[in-house]
Amino acid sequence: MKLFEFEAKNILQQYGISVPRGKTAAKSAEAQRAVQEIGKPAVLKSQILVSGRGKAGGILFVSNPAEAKEAATNLLGKTIRGCKVDRLLVEERLEIMSQ
């Protein structure tokens, strides 16, 4: 079974597992609004069913809604590893905790 990241996170939430706040966006204005609602730095993740999307430029970090709109404009419609990006997952950016 193949799931997009946003689909997998929806399933995790149903079982009470904590996931970052986020929304999907199919247009750059939707990504901008999502970052505005989140109210802090965010990450835009291309929703494609291939591995290595981050190294291929499919994951971008933004600091504000204006940056989100620009980044989404660059990602949406782009082809990454043979897959066209039609949707993004826009999530709050969290710091990774090391032990």
Side-chain angles (χ1 to χ4, degrees), residues 54-89:
K55 289 183 181 181
I59 297 176
L60 299 175
F61 297 94
V62 298
S63 299
N64 58 56
E67 283 183 19
K69 185 174 184 180
E70 183 179 339
T73 299
N74 292 331
L75 286 173
L76 290 166
K78 183 176 181 176
T79 300
I80 298 174
R81 300 195 178 220
C83 295
K84 184 178 176 190
V85 179
D86 294 322
R87 185 180 353 205
L88 304 171
L89 175 59

Side-chain angles (χ1 to χ4, degrees), residues 18-30:
S18 185
V19 297
R21 290 183 302 140
K23 292 185 173 193
T24 59
K27 297 180 181 177
S28 58
E30 292 173 349

Side-chain angles (χ1 to χ4, degrees), residues 8-13 16-22 91-92 94:
K9 288 185 174 180
N10 286 340
I11 292 169
L12 292 172
Q13 277 187 310
I17 298 170
S18 185
V19 297
R21 290 183 302 140
E91 290 186 320
E92 64 182 320
L94 300 175

